[in-house]
Amino acid sequence: MDIQRVSGAVFGAAAADAVGASFEGMMPDDSRMPEMAGGGQFSLAAGEVTDDTLMMLALLETYAEAGCFSRELFFSRMIQTIRVRGKTFGNTTRTLAALVEQGCFPEAAALVVHRLFGSRTNGSVMRTLPIGLTAPSKAAAQAEARRVSSFTHADSEAADACAAVSSAVYSLLHGASKEEVLEAVPAKYLEGELWPSVDALESTRCAFCIFCDAEDYRDAVARACRLGGDTDTIGAVVGGMYGAYQGIDAVPSEWREMLDVKDRLTAAVKKIWG
């Protein structure tokens, strides 16, 4: 296992999330020059991450502790995270966590949330990175991504998006070229106008198209931020892919050092991959 690519993936996702959070919900701006400055609609401190990284960490730490996906452990971590750092979480995740905490089965809770709010959102896509990093094969990554997505998102588009991202991360981690990865990406993520919304299909399309066009990690993050809309999630997804592609050195060291969760990221990677 290439630990440089693993570290690049997790730090790449977290750093892009923290940078992108400054511009979430804004209009497009091609002159935007992103830095890790904090602020934004949640008034975050510089280096503070959002629910994108916190959910990814909940899943990563689940693998670190259990050695595989544990639904009980993951939901426990998700609920605790929302209690302690819930300000960036949306109604969908909050409602689902509350239902599970009150004793509702996860499958039933996911259906309730789907009927209340819809679940064709990118909440499961934002956290799917660890599946591509830990899976024993590309096929296993796709199957696991769909299964884990379904516990919170009943919509098939969310599952499709998770499978596509996890598959790409697996391939990048194991040395595939950008061209090889993009050849395997379903056409719906590479064609059409870019709308940087919270929709699972639309945000994943933005991430893959940026991955296709960007010159390097920093350029990918800048492109995500310039799109506006859901900049932190799109940034986190493409940042994780670019980190897996180019390794930890591609992620600016000053951004890595500023992350408020850098110690947790390092500990989880060390526990899983030694």
Side-chain angles (χ1 to χ4, degrees):
M1 181 60 64
D2 189 338
I3 196 67
Q4 295 298 310
R5 291 181 187 269
V6 169
S7 297
V10 297
F11 274 91
D17 170 31
V19 172
S22 299
F23 310 102
E24 184 178 7
M26 294 185 180
M27 297 297 291
D29 183 352
D30 288 340
S31 67
R32 197 167 278 151
M33 298 298 293
E35 292 296 339
M36 195 172 286
Q41 63 178 285
F42 296 109
S43 301
L44 301 179
E48 188 175 359
V49 298
T50 76
D51 57 334
D52 299 273
T53 298
L54 295 174
M55 289 293 283
M56 184 270 286
L57 254 175
L59 185 56
L60 186 67
E61 290 174 340
T62 295
Y63 282 108
E65 184 171 338
C68 61
F69 179 71
S70 164
R71 184 175 67 177
E72 293 73 20
L73 182 56
F74 172 70
F75 274 102
S76 175
R77 289 187 176 280
M78 180 179 72
I79 290 166
Q80 183 61 27
T81 299
I82 293 172
R83 285 178 182 169
V84 177
R85 296 187 57 170
K87 67 180 178 180
T88 62
F89 284 79
N91 285 334
T92 301
T93 305
R94 287 177 179 273
T95 302
L96 186 137
L99 289 169
V100 172
E101 191 172 14
Q102 293 166 19
C104 187
F105 287 113
E107 292 90 343
L111 286 174
V112 169
V113 170
H114 179 70
R115 288 167 182 163
L116 285 174
F117 307 112
S119 60
R120 185 176 150 159
T121 54
N122 57 22
S124 58
V125 185
M126 67 172 66
R127 67 172 189 250
T128 200
L129 176 71
I131 296 173
L133 298 177
T134 57
S137 69
K138 184 191 292 188
Q142 293 172 343
E144 181 82 338
R146 292 179 182 280
R147 186 172 74 94
V148 173
S149 177
S150 71
F151 290 128
T152 57
H153 290 67
D155 194 280
S156 61
E157 285 291 357
D160 286 350
C162 288
V165 172
S166 294
S167 175
V169 169
Y170 174 88
S171 297
L172 291 165
L173 187 65
H174 291 84
S177 67
K178 179 188 282 192
E179 292 73 20
E180 290 170 332
V181 169
L182 291 171
E183 283 178 3
V185 173
K188 65 182 178 179
Y189 300 118
L190 297 173
E191 300 173 353
E193 192 170 354
L194 300 187
W195 291 96
S197 72
V198 300
D199 179 85
L201 171 58
E202 298 290 355
S203 58
T204 303
R205 177 186 291 145
C206 288
F208 273 118
C209 287
I210 290 171
F211 179 75
C212 177
D213 295 337
E215 296 180 0
D216 55 26
Y217 173 84
R218 191 187 281 269
D219 182 40
V221 177
R223 288 171 182 262
C225 292
R226 289 168 187 159
L227 272 181
D230 201 8
T231 49
D232 56 336
T233 301
I234 295 167
V237 174
V238 71
M241 289 194 291
Y242 239 103
Y245 175 46
Q246 294 188 316
I248 188 66
D249 290 339
V251 185
S253 59
E254 65 272 21
W255 289 1
R256 300 189 327 245
E257 286 302 312
M258 290 178 69
L259 286 171
D260 66 339
V261 293
K262 64 179 180 180
D263 292 340
R264 288 178 62 187
L265 293 170
T266 299
V269 168
K270 184 176 181 180
K271 189 166 185 178
I272 297 173
W273 292 279

